[in-house]
């Protein structure tokens, strides 16, 4: 099973700043089959990115993804108030599909 | 508009059983693989099980294999999860999630329900 480790656990930032979230896999994620989700309190997760760097429908371009192999990054430039949430990465290259433990982006 | 509405959660004793349902609308249900993903209180996400669009091929996380059974009724646009031999560690909010890709499936999820809470406790 591929274990995904996200860092940092919590990111304290101010609106307008940029956020860099890391997702590291225990083995290579083939074909860059990695997705990112955003989850706000009391809500279901929302798909942000897939194949590491493709934005899902309706996702603003301040969200970007990069990486390959075992190291992936989600970058949020110019944080908006609605971006403060928990972010999860998920690999879908090898069953069982697994998620990282999440990174919380909180208002400083 | 895609809608996924879960039901069937509740309080059950360890060793007991529960059947979750997910009613789908707003898309051609039998064209898509479907999944269950759970989230323990205050914890992260865990993929539980998935089922293919028509052949009914299934897959499970190791933590539930042999205890949970996923199924679907395409005529009723419904997804199910039969949970047996429940344990305290199965306590979670269970989400129904739609695969983003039709037919073959891609195993990541573009629509989620609001979840149904399962509590396993004596």
């Amino acid at each position: 099973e591929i274990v995904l480790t996200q860092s940092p656990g919590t990111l304290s930032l101010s609106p307008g700043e940029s956020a860099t979230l890391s997702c590291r896999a225990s083995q290579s994620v083939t074909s860059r089959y990695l997705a990112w989700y955003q989850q706000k309190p009391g809500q279901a997760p929302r798909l942000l990115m897939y194949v590491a760097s493709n934005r899902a429908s309706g996702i603003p371009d301040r969200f970007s993804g990069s990486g390959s192999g075992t190291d992936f990054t989600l970058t949020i430039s110019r944080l908006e108030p609605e971006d403060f949430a928990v972010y999860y990465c998920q690999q879908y290259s090898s069953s069982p599909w697994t998620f990282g433990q999440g990174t919380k982006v909180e208002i400083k | 508009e895609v809608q996924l509405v879960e039901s069937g959660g509740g309080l059950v004793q360890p060793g007991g059983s529960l059947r979750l349902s997910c009613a789908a609308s707003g898309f051609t249900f039998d064209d898509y693989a479907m999944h269950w993903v759970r989230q323990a209180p205050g914890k992260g996400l865990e993929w539980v099980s998935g089922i293919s669009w028509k052949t009914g091929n299934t897959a499970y996380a190791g933590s539930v294999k042999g205890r949970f059974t996923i199924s679907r009724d395409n005529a009723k646009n419904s997804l199910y999860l039969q949970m047996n031999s429940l344990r305290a560690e199965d306590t979670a909010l269970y989400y129904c999630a739609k695969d983003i890709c039709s037919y073959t499936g891609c195993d990541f999820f573009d629509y989620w329900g609001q979840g149904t809470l399962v509590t396993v406790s004596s």
Side-chain angles (χ1 to χ4, degrees), chain A residues 39-99:
Chain A
Q39 188 178 34
K40 297 179 182 179
Q43 296 185 17
R46 176 173 75 142
L47 178 66
L48 296 177
M49 314 288 299
Y50 60 96
V51 194
S53 59
N54 290 273
R55 274 187 298 277
S57 176
I59 302 303
D61 61 7
R62 64 179 180 274
F63 290 89
S64 62
S66 63
S68 63
T70 60
D71 289 297
F72 297 86
T73 300
L74 175 71
T75 301
I76 314 169
S77 59
R78 306 178 311 276
L79 280 163
E80 298 284 342
E82 62 267 28
D83 299 335
F84 292 91
V86 179
Y87 292 83
Y88 295 94
C89 56
Q90 179 227 335
Q91 65 81 21
Y92 51 99
S93 76
S94 174
S95 181
W97 325 123
T98 51
F99 291 87

Side-chain angles (χ1 to χ4, degrees), chain B:
Chain B
E1 180 195 3
V2 172
Q3 283 200 316
L4 299 169
V5 180
E6 303 93 338
S7 60
L11 175 63
V12 61
Q13 292 189 335
S17 298
L18 215 51
R19 189 196 195 208
L20 306 184
S21 299
C22 170
S25 61
F27 65 103
T28 305
F29 180 73
D30 52 4
D31 280 353
Y32 291 87
M34 296 294 295
H35 303 263
W36 290 98
V37 178
R38 69 184 180 184
Q39 187 168 34
K43 302 297 184 183
L45 301 167
E46 179 187 17
W47 174 80
V48 172
S49 183
I51 186 166
S52 65
W53 63 297
K54 191 170 278 189
T55 61
N57 288 340
T58 59
Y60 299 92
S63 58
V64 306
K65 203 166 190 176
R67 300 188 298 124
F68 289 11
T69 302
I70 190 172
S71 62
R72 64 190 296 161
D73 185 336
N74 289 339
K76 294 183 178 179
N77 286 356
S78 293
L79 176 72
Y80 306 100
L81 186 68
Q82 177 66 44
M83 305 186 296
N84 298 331
S85 303
L86 282 162
R87 306 166 180 167
E89 54 265 34
D90 296 319
T91 294
L93 187 65
Y94 284 74
Y95 292 105
C96 166
K98 172 186 166 292
D99 200 293
I100 194 171
C101 295
S102 57
Y103 309 122
T104 55
C106 293
D107 301 309
F108 65 100
F109 324 114
D110 59 347
Y111 287 95
W112 300 61
Q114 286 305 304
T116 186
L117 182 62
V118 172
T119 303
V120 184
S121 175
S122 55

